[in-house]
Amino acid sequence: MKIGIIGGTGDQGLGLALRFAKGGEQVIIGSRDVKKAENAVNLIENMLKSDECPNVRGMTNEEVCSEADLLILTVPLQAQMITLKSIKDHVENKILIDATVPMESCLGGSPVKYVDVWDGSAAERTANFLKDKNVRVVSAFNNISAASLTNIENNVDCDCLISGNDDEAKKEAMQLAEKIPGVRAIDCGLLENARIVEKITPLLINLNIRNKIKLAGIRITGL
C-alpha cells in the first residue's frame, strides 16, 4: 500500500513519514512545492542514517493524491481549506485521514487552546467540503506528538483515537496506526466524535509545557 502524506513537510507529517518509512512502508511525501517534499525525503534519509530510502518519494500534493492508495492530511488549521481545494479533484475513491487540530496557535494565539469550528471538528469540516466526492474521511493521529514520532529509538507511548462513519475505512486507519511501534488503535465511533478527540491535543501540549516534557500521550484503559 502506498501511503500519501499531504503537507508532509511539517513536523507531524514528517514524523509519520519517518515511522512508516522505517517500517518499510511505501511513503509519498506531498507539498505545494515539490522541492520541499524532496528535501523532506533527504531529511528522512539522514534521520534513518541511510544514503537512500527507495520506499520514500517526494511529490506535489496533487500528484500524491493521484499516486497513493491512502491519504493523510497533516497541515495546520490555516492551511486546511487551501490544501483541500487544491486536491479536491484528485481524491476520488480514496480514504483520507485528517490529523488536523484546530489550535489557537495556528492563528497566532495560545498553544494550549482549541478553536471551535463551524462544522464541529476539523475532520467534519473536511468531510463536508468533500461530500460530493467518493472519499471516506477518518480522523486519526491527532494526539500523537511529532516529538514522539521523531524519537525513533523508542516506541510511541500513545493510543491512536480513530473516528469515522465508514467501518472499512476506520479498519484501514487502525491497521495503519498500529504499524507504528507502541501505538494501539482505538475505534472511537462516528466522525462526530472527532470533536472530542481533537480537543485532547491542547491538553497534552499543556501537560508538556507544565511538566517540561515533550512526549505526553494518552492511553485508554480497561479495553
Side-chain angles (χ1 to χ4, degrees):
M1 179 175 66
K2 297 176 184 177
I3 304 164
I5 303 183
I6 308 303
T9 60
D11 291 344
Q12 189 77 359
L14 190 68
L16 289 169
L18 179 66
R19 286 288 181 165
F20 294 137
K22 186 180 180 183
E25 301 296 326
Q26 295 293 318
V27 179
I28 312 173
I29 296 174
S31 174
R32 287 181 295 174
D33 182 350
V34 69
K35 197 65 181 175
K36 287 185 178 180
E38 291 169 351
N39 288 341
V41 173
N42 293 334
L43 183 56
I44 286 174
E45 289 174 346
N46 291 335
M47 295 178 77
L48 294 178
K49 299 177 182 178
S50 172
D51 293 333
E52 185 177 357
C53 291
N55 59 321
V56 187
R57 293 179 288 160
M59 295 181 177
T60 66
N61 287 328
E62 294 86 349
E63 290 171 334
V64 170
C65 290
S66 298
E67 180 78 12
D69 301 307
L70 180 147
L71 306 172
I72 307 175
L73 182 66
T74 61
V75 297
L77 178 65
Q78 70 270 26
Q80 185 190 28
M81 294 309 297
I82 295 172
T83 304
L84 288 173
K85 288 175 183 177
S86 72
I87 66 173
K88 185 175 183 178
D89 294 331
H90 306 276
V91 297
E92 200 74 26
N93 300 316
K94 306 285 185 178
I95 294 173
L96 192 154
I97 298 173
D98 195 337
T100 308
V101 177
M103 303 283 295
E104 260 196 21
S105 57
C106 297
L107 306 173
S110 169
V112 297
K113 290 185 178 180
Y114 183 87
V115 176
D116 288 311
V117 294
W118 180 261
D119 302 272
S121 67
E124 289 173 285
R125 190 186 194 196
T126 291
N128 287 338
F129 181 74
L130 299 175
K131 62 185 178 182
D132 60 336
K133 299 293 181 180
N134 184 25
V135 58
R136 293 172 288 170
V137 176
V138 177
S139 173
F141 300 118
N142 317 88
N143 309 134
I144 300 178
S145 73
S148 293
L149 291 169
T150 54
N151 183 24
I152 57 174
E153 300 304 319
N154 295 290
N155 290 352
V156 174
D157 188 16
C158 187
D159 288 341
C160 184
L161 308 183
I162 297 175
S163 309
N165 296 336
D166 185 283
D167 288 340
E168 188 60 35
K170 275 194 295 186
K171 182 179 178 181
E172 292 272 357
M174 292 174 73
Q175 290 173 345
L176 180 63
E178 292 189 344
K179 291 179 183 292
I180 301 173
V183 170
R184 179 182 61 162
I186 306 293
D187 186 342
C188 293
L190 297 177
L191 191 64
E192 65 186 29
N193 290 321
R195 304 176 187 189
I196 302 168
V197 174
E198 290 175 3
K199 290 180 179 178
I200 296 171
T201 299
L203 171 63
L204 294 176
I205 293 173
N206 185 39
L207 291 173
N208 277 329
I209 294 171
R210 290 175 62 86
N211 294 281
K212 299 180 181 179
I213 58 175
K214 294 182 178 179
L215 307 178
I218 186 168
R219 290 291 193 189
I220 306 301
T221 64
L223 296 181

